[in-house]
Amino acid sequence: MIILTTLIFSVSAYFIGALNGAILLCKLKGWPDPRLEGSKNPGATNMLRLHHAQAASLVLIFDLLKGVIPVYLAYFAGVPPVAIGFIGIATCLGHIFPPYFGFKGGKGVATGLGTLLPLGMDMTGLVIITWLLTIAVSGYASLAAIITAIAAPIFIENIKPEFTLPVLMLSCLIIIKHISNIRRLIRGKEKKIVNWKQ
């Protein structure tokens, strides 16, 4: 019964995760596909670069919620912790490989954060603080995502260790999606979202 419930939630989470906020907003507004403009990543950061803060905020909230909702529903349905973790991963896989948009989606950062929010305010606070501090110090959104992904399994191991494995897997997935950013960071060619020198 637990396996069937987990499977149903995971499949549903995948298709919910595949609803990309940036792509849908651009279609609604008649804007160019964000996968073809700017950083070519359909996420909040690229929407900020291409349009304005309001558009980026809408995308961020949308992508956070689609991570939160499946995990919360699974929790209230009594799904075991490890299974809930895999449901969260399914949501992020939907965001990264959306069947509605030719399996070309985003990098899963906001959606991944959304899946962590139901794990508690302590975990949420640590993740958000890590992301904001990295942005404040470096100005790079990609570096903030990478460092937060590295830190998340360490945080969860000390807060709710039963979720360590799925969070570790989710972190690996996000880091793999940022390989091109890592290369640009090493070469000094990554674009900053905040430039304190200007």
Side-chain angles (χ1 to χ4, degrees):
M1 186 63 182
I2 292 175
I3 294 175
L4 179 60
T5 303
T6 302
L7 181 61
I8 291 170
F9 269 101
S10 296
V11 172
S12 300
Y14 172 80
F15 285 104
I16 290 171
L19 296 166
N20 186 286
I23 298 173
L24 290 173
L25 182 60
C26 286
K27 285 182 178 292
L28 181 65
K29 292 285 190 178
W31 294 336
D33 190 326
R35 295 171 297 177
L36 304 175
E37 304 285 333
S39 67
K40 298 179 173 58
N41 179 57
T45 302
N46 198 29
M47 291 296 285
L48 180 61
R49 289 195 183 104
L50 294 174
H51 301 290
H52 43 69
Q54 184 181 11
S57 297
L58 287 171
V59 170
L60 178 62
I61 292 169
F62 184 91
D63 288 348
L64 280 171
L65 284 176
K66 73 182 186 184
V68 169
I69 292 170
V71 173
Y72 258 129
L73 291 176
Y75 173 79
F76 284 118
V79 176
V82 173
I84 289 175
F86 285 107
I87 290 166
I89 291 173
T91 311
C92 290
L93 286 172
H95 179 83
I96 296 169
F97 305 108
Y100 315 125
F101 308 112
F103 296 96
K104 296 178 180 178
K107 295 184 177 178
V109 177
T111 304
L113 175 59
T115 65
L116 297 178
L117 296 184
L119 301 185
M121 290 305 297
D122 42 5
M123 180 64 182
T124 300
L126 286 168
V127 167
I128 291 174
I129 289 169
T130 302
W131 191 88
L132 289 175
L133 278 176
T134 309
I135 285 284
V137 172
S138 71
Y140 293 108
S142 57
L143 184 61
I146 293 162
I147 289 178
T148 304
I150 293 170
I154 300 171
F155 294 152
I156 201 66
E157 173 66 21
N158 289 282
I159 297 170
K160 291 185 177 179
E162 64 269 26
F163 289 100
T164 300
L165 177 60
V167 170
L168 179 61
M169 292 174 65
L170 176 59
S171 293
C172 289
L173 184 63
I174 290 173
I175 291 170
I176 289 169
K177 286 295 293 181
H178 280 81
I179 287 176
S180 60
N181 301 89
I182 293 171
R183 289 172 180 158
R184 287 195 295 272
L185 284 165
I186 292 171
R187 296 198 303 264
K189 295 189 176 181
E190 180 75 336
K191 292 182 179 180
K192 292 185 176 184
I193 190 173
V194 177
N195 194 337
W196 303 113
K197 294 181 180 179
Q198 290 184 350

